[in-house]
Amino acid sequence: METKNQEEEEQLVTPWEVSAEKGGKIDYDKLIDKFGCQRLDQSLVDRVARLTGRPPHVFLRRGVFFAHRDFSDILDAYERGQKFYLYTGRGPSSEALHLGHLVPFMFTKYLQDAFKVPLVIQLTDDEKCMWKNLTVEESQRLARENAKDIIACGFDISRTFIFSDFDYVGGSFYKNMVKIAKCVTYNKVVGIFGFSGEDHIGKVSFPPVQAAPSFPSSFPHIFSSKDDLRCLIPCAIDQDPYFRMTRDVAPRIGYHKPALIESSFFPALQGETGKMSSSDPNSAIYVTDSGKDIKNKINKYAFSGGQDSVENHRKYGANLEVDIPIKYLGFFLEDDAELEHIRKEYGTGRMLTGEVKKRLIEVLTELVERHRRARAAVTEEMVDAFMAVRPLPNMFN
Ligand code: TRP
């Protein structure tokens, strides 16, 4: 069974499964080629800075968001005075979010503030009910709990609509779903998502649910008579298949293709071989972890590129390519000069793993502490307010 082996060794990136080539890490260049998206280069980052009049977000400066589809069209239009809206989402499969889950939301908040545009956030409780074998009620409960973590990221209520599929799907949203579904053959979804004859039909029919928010007419209470408004979707690159399908369909039903800005995955503590696994609590830092948990996990599990003895470390320096503390600092230590300093000192062996980990523990403890405080301040009334079907009258001001 040669083909089987070959398949197992190749990297696999779908919305439900991410694994690197055997023993390696995700090859993002290969992924860009395979998916057919574009690399987000420095000139685009500079353009964002120029257009928004603020320094680009750390995730842009450091290449965390590294790929896109038609993002330059969004910027061209914006430059001509045409605004757009943002669309992102979360599948509520667990109670507690880990740091990787926060990445797209932190970035979306920055985009919302920098461009002053409206945002819709989809909670796919239906998706998780079907894929994770959760009950309808449990998925709905998780959606609401997750909404609190999302709100805690600081979204502006005057420009943000959060919805759960179980509550919101219907009306104009459903009409778009049906229009989309009519354009996608069974063979096509099998090709894009790899469904098999054993998968239940709920899975096969789900993709239009995630596609529909890409079109403004799915939200008549916000975007009535704005069918021409463009949509920009910040997401991790594993969501690309949904939007490849959406972009294929869009012109056939009279809409703009949504643009995408896509991130790499936040690596597991044990090393950069894929996404974090929700089944292993020691593979990730959760927003519910205590300071003690964070310290423990980093010291015990964070894969180090340092040498096995102090003597060798001083002599050869750390391998920054595989070092998890350095990767994590790259996401969350905002000071470019300090990061550069640490990289240099650690890479040449003057700084030890323990010292780098100590700095990382400080940075993450502060981040998680800040998130915890913000989440504790989110009331049930605030969740209702963000999720209310309502106009957003000042969404572009
Ligand atoms: N399918 C995504 C998940 O499982 C949730 C989601 C829905 C999403 N719509 C989105 C993510 C748009 C990014 C952008 O997490």
Side-chain angles (χ1 to χ4, degrees):
M1 294 279 295
E2 210 176 57
T3 47
K4 182 94 199 286
N5 274 337
Q6 227 168 20
E7 261 174 38
E8 275 173 2
E9 282 185 24
E10 260 175 42
Q11 72 176 359
L12 180 70
V13 175
T14 74
W16 310 288
E17 205 182 334
V18 174
S19 60
E21 205 176 284
K22 220 171 161 191
K25 38 184 190 176
I26 300 287
D27 183 336
Y28 288 107
D29 286 323
K30 228 181 182 172
L31 208 53
I32 285 185
D33 282 349
K34 186 168 174 219
F35 284 179
C37 28
Q38 297 150 281
R39 192 163 259 291
L40 208 157
D41 57 22
Q42 188 58 41
S43 70
L44 271 177
V45 176
D46 294 341
R47 234 184 128 195
V48 171
R50 209 159 9 90
L51 282 173
T52 60
R54 6 175 131 199
H57 193 275
V58 176
F59 295 162
L60 275 179
R61 298 205 298 272
R62 310 234 174 106
V64 170
F65 281 78
F66 73 103
H68 74 99
R69 290 178 185 273
D70 292 347
F71 183 47
S72 38
D73 290 355
I74 289 276
L75 297 181
D76 289 344
Y78 190 82
E79 207 157 20
R80 292 194 301 267
Q82 296 168 11
K83 298 267 179 144
F84 59 91
Y85 75 101
L86 293 160
Y87 157 41
T88 192
R90 153 141 183 101
S93 56
S94 67
E95 182 108 35
L97 276 66
H98 56 56
L99 295 180
H101 293 136
L102 291 186
V103 166
F105 291 107
M106 293 168 83
F107 188 64
T108 303
K109 149 131 178 95
Y110 150 80
L111 291 174
Q112 178 179 58
D113 290 348
F115 287 99
K116 308 253 179 305
V117 287
L119 160 67
V120 297
I121 301 177
Q122 177 178 47
L123 301 171
T124 52
D125 40 12
D126 51 348
E127 179 190 18
K128 294 304 154 179
C129 173
M130 291 191 282
W131 263 270
K132 299 282 172 172
N133 211 7
L134 297 168
T135 62
V136 169
E137 291 71 25
E138 179 63 358
S139 326
Q140 280 187 294
R141 189 186 70 80
L142 291 175
R144 213 179 147 84
E145 285 308 302
N146 287 180
K148 294 176 187 164
D149 283 290
I150 293 169
I151 293 168
C153 292
F155 293 106
D156 175 352
I157 193 163
S158 72
R159 299 178 212 276
T160 307
F161 174 52
I162 304 178
F163 64 99
S164 109
D165 288 341
F166 280 135
D167 287 339
Y168 184 68
V169 172
S172 306
F173 191 102
Y174 185 60
K175 286 179 193 162
N176 277 335
M177 276 173 53
V178 170
K179 287 188 203 171
I180 297 160
K182 279 173 77 176
C183 294
V184 184
T185 64
Y186 177 69
N187 285 339
K188 183 96 190 180
V189 278
V190 167
I192 297 178
F193 297 99
F195 296 132
S196 81
E198 272 69 53
D199 283 311
H200 60 68
I201 61 172
K203 292 187 181 183
V204 180
S205 59
F206 175 74
V209 184
Q210 184 155 333
S214 312
F215 306 130
S217 60
S218 295
F219 306 97
H221 56 289
I222 313 177
F223 302 129
S224 75
S225 72
K226 290 197 173 64
D227 280 5
D228 223 24
L229 195 65
R230 287 169 197 274
C231 174
L232 173 65
I233 306 172
C235 61
I237 197 160
D238 62 333
Q239 300 299 306
D240 191 81
Y242 283 117
F243 302 119
R244 235 180 295 150
M245 184 196 86
T246 310
R247 285 168 53 87
D248 200 52
V249 168
R252 293 158 64 194
I253 57 176
Y255 296 122
H256 286 299
K257 295 180 178 190
L260 298 168
I261 181 160
E262 301 178 310
S263 74
S264 55
F265 307 117
F266 189 73
L269 279 169
Q270 283 77 2
E272 212 179 359
T273 48
K275 273 208 301 193
M276 283 165 296
S277 138
S278 33
S279 54
D280 177 5
N282 288 327
S283 73
I285 307 283
Y286 288 84
V287 296
T288 45
D289 281 348
S290 68
K292 209 171 133 211
D293 295 332
I294 295 174
K295 189 170 169 193
N296 250 327
K297 285 189 185 180
I298 303 277
N299 282 333
K300 206 160 158 192
Y301 301 110
F303 188 85
S304 167
Q307 305 297 335
D308 47 14
S309 69
V310 174
E311 198 183 27
N312 279 342
H313 188 81
R314 299 285 186 214
K315 201 152 129 201
Y316 303 113
N319 178 358
L320 303 184
E321 278 310 299
V322 299
D323 191 85
I324 286 297
I326 283 290
K327 298 266 161 187
Y328 278 26
L329 285 172
F331 278 79
F332 296 120
L333 177 65
E334 289 200 18
D335 186 333
D336 290 338
E338 189 188 352
L339 183 66
E340 209 28 62
H341 175 78
I342 295 174
R343 289 182 62 90
K344 202 165 140 227
E345 295 298 297
Y346 189 37
T348 51
R350 280 193 294 270
M351 212 170 170
L352 299 174
T353 298
E355 300 169 77
V356 180
K357 286 190 169 181
K358 183 163 171 282
R359 184 67 184 113
L360 177 63
I361 291 163
E362 282 168 13
V363 169
L364 295 188
T365 305
E366 201 209 302
L367 177 89
V368 168
E369 219 9 84
R370 205 185 328 129
H371 183 84
R372 199 196 327 274
R373 274 197 305 272
R375 193 193 194 273
V378 177
T379 60
E380 295 297 331
E381 291 70 37
M382 280 164 77
V383 178
D384 290 337
F386 270 95
M387 298 185 75
V389 177
R390 68 202 192 279
L392 300 174
N394 296 317
M395 60 191 176
F396 290 120
N397 297 342

